[in-house]
Amino acid sequence: MITQYSGIAPKGDLILLHKLGEKLNNRSFLHINSTRAGGGVAEILQRMIPILKDLGIDARWEVIEGDEKFFDVTKKIHNSLQGNFENITDDMWRHHYEVNRANAGRLNLDADAVLIHDPQPSPLIEFRKSGKWIWRCHIDVSHPLKEVWDYLLRYCGKYDAAVFSVAKFARAMGTDEFIIPPSIDPISEKNRELANEEIIETLNKFQIPNDRPVILQVSRFDRFKDPIGVIKAYRMVKKYNDCVLVLAGSPASDDPEGDIVLKEVQDYASDDADIRILLLPPFSDKDINALQRAATVVLQKSLKEGFGLTVSEAMWKGKPVIGGATGGIPLQIIHGVTGFLVHSEEGAAFRIRQFLNNPEMAHRMGEQGREYVRTNFLITRQVRDYLSVWYAMENKGRSVLEL
Ligand code: UDP
């Protein structure tokens, strides 16, 4: 499997991966998050576990289970860590802990390294048995609601290390901290090359016209992804350039707000036949791949974002991208080189028109984007980084010459 990345991923990453695989051979590496499908974390884990196994590591992925109340609370925690005001009562925190306690009883937490993804399963640290425990924070906690962050630190501060996606997301936590951006898998169903017929098949299935430029945003129906702002930008463009807007998303099982936001978006789009709102079932990877390849311009107009994997996915397909200047998006889009960063609906509309009216520039930026993703955001680099952190934690205090 790892050999399939030769000629695609940078050679240096592959050499290091083999070395680390030898050092950590047969050791166990457990990942825990809160959803099997939907969103970037699940997306990466699905691909990473087989790669780790192929490298000789005993990798496992477990998902915590919770009731509706639990996911309402964790959504509130999530929103407040991104700066929204939420009142999280003692009872809610207790429930958060109790659900994790039940999961600790159900799951086998024994492993040499345990990577806990995001705040939902963070209390599991209280039930640690052995090994190195690392908290992996995917969201922007640079301006959180203080009392929520302070409460969470009771758990997160106990880990051996914390990993953030982007330097500016990180906060001093009193433990070792590492910056590891997420990544995409170039050979997955989501990102592999597709034949033209496969692309057309998807367009037909969703009745998307291909006689006009297609503007696309792929994301969960979440207000932070600004789907309404995308429609507003499209309406400004539409006055001058005929085009079709596709908003594609699927519900995530850990996001209870999705249905409400979807309804808002459908109402706002009203009866415009050129706005296609696609509610995709989970694991629609090939269709998403085809939509991204069929698109003329890809948007990720987020107002708040973790990393924004969809940006790298589109760049890898050579597409010109426009992203909200937030979270990890500026890490991927170098303004004017690999795409454009925007701060408003007007800005998004302006850049969409610029791409539609300058196909050559759009093509050039798309190509630059692809190469940028190749060097920085492929999964091989991320696996390399995780294994390096684990290895470094285990060999703390030893000279590099001994390793
Ligand atoms: N995604 C998907 N189906 C959808 C919407 C999104 O498979 O209907 C995928 C998308 O292709 C990307 C991931 O989910 O791989 C979203 O990750 P991102 O970092 O953009 O946002 P998040 O949802 O984690 O906030």
Side-chain angles (χ1 to χ4, degrees), residues 114-243:
V114 180
L115 203 67
I116 299 290
H117 294 262
D118 281 334
Q120 297 93 328
S122 59
L124 286 178
I125 185 76
E126 304 289 355
F127 309 95
R128 146 192 212 154
K129 292 186 176 149
S130 58
K132 296 288 173 197
W133 280 59
I134 304 165
W135 186 55
R136 198 331 173 188
C137 179
H138 292 269
I139 53 182
D140 181 354
V141 291
S142 55
H143 299 94
L145 210 63
K146 189 174 176 311
E147 52 274 29
V148 175
W149 174 253
D150 286 348
Y151 197 104
L152 212 60
L153 260 189
R154 295 182 191 186
Y155 304 126
C156 300
K158 290 183 179 158
Y159 284 75
D160 296 306
V163 173
F164 295 90
S165 295
V166 184
K168 67 179 181 210
F169 288 6
R171 294 182 71 79
M173 293 181 52
T175 51
D176 285 338
E177 291 182 31
F178 299 89
I179 307 301
I180 304 183
S183 60
I184 63 160
D185 186 342
I187 62 171
S188 67
E189 204 54 12
K190 175 78 56 72
N191 298 306
R192 71 174 173 90
E193 298 288 328
L194 291 181
N196 222 9
E197 301 81 70
E198 293 177 289
I199 299 173
I200 307 261
E201 199 184 307
T202 295
L203 291 182
N204 290 342
K205 179 159 96 184
F206 296 118
Q207 295 163 2
I208 297 166
N210 65 350
D211 56 344
R212 281 164 290 160
V214 173
I215 318 296
L216 170 73
Q217 175 158 300
V218 175
S219 48
R220 290 180 292 105
F221 290 98
D222 179 325
R223 292 193 191 99
F224 284 132
K225 308 282 184 184
D226 200 19
I228 302 279
V230 169
I231 297 180
K232 287 184 182 164
Y234 150 85
R235 288 198 171 131
M236 291 178 212
V237 171
K238 186 85 166 173
K239 287 189 198 142
Y240 308 97
N241 297 65
D242 193 11
C243 58

Side-chain angles (χ1 to χ4, degrees), residues 39-40 43 190 218-220 225 249-250 288 305 308-310 313:
E43 172 81 17
K190 175 78 56 72
V218 175
S219 48
R220 290 180 292 105
K225 308 282 184 184
S250 50
I288 291 174
E305 188 53 84
L309 273 182
T310 49
E313 286 167 7

Side-chain angles (χ1 to χ4, degrees), residues 63-127:
V63 176
I64 55 163
E65 289 170 359
D67 55 5
E68 207 180 319
K69 178 174 169 188
F70 176 76
F71 288 113
D72 280 341
V73 172
T74 57
K75 183 73 187 180
K76 282 195 164 78
I77 295 174
H78 180 100
N79 287 345
S80 63
L81 290 178
Q82 300 205 106
N84 277 16
F85 180 77
E86 299 281 358
N87 182 23
I88 301 175
T89 61
D90 286 347
D91 172 62
M92 291 178 186
W93 281 118
R94 207 169 311 118
H95 193 65
H96 183 227
Y97 174 81
E98 285 303 329
V99 167
N100 272 281
R101 192 161 69 103
N103 277 284
R106 191 179 59 85
L107 300 172
N108 170 10
L109 298 180
D110 252 334
D112 295 314
V114 180
L115 203 67
I116 299 290
H117 294 262
D118 281 334
Q120 297 93 328
S122 59
L124 286 178
I125 185 76
E126 304 289 355
F127 309 95

Side-chain angles (χ1 to χ4, degrees), residues 337-391:
V337 182
T338 64
F340 287 121
L341 292 170
V342 295
H343 300 84
S344 65
E345 287 136 17
E346 290 76 11
F350 176 78
R351 295 304 184 185
I352 295 171
R353 294 199 61 225
Q354 203 176 353
F355 277 142
L356 295 183
N357 295 333
N358 297 279
E360 230 171 74
M361 180 193 72
H363 180 74
R364 192 180 63 244
M365 281 202 194
E367 285 300 304
Q368 286 162 183
R370 180 174 165 88
E371 287 315 304
Y372 198 65
V373 170
R374 188 195 305 283
T375 18
N376 296 288
F377 303 118
L378 295 187
I379 195 162
T380 34
R381 189 272 308 148
Q382 197 184 358
V383 177
R384 179 203 73 186
D385 289 352
Y386 278 164
L387 295 184
S388 307
V389 167
W390 174 10
Y391 192 62

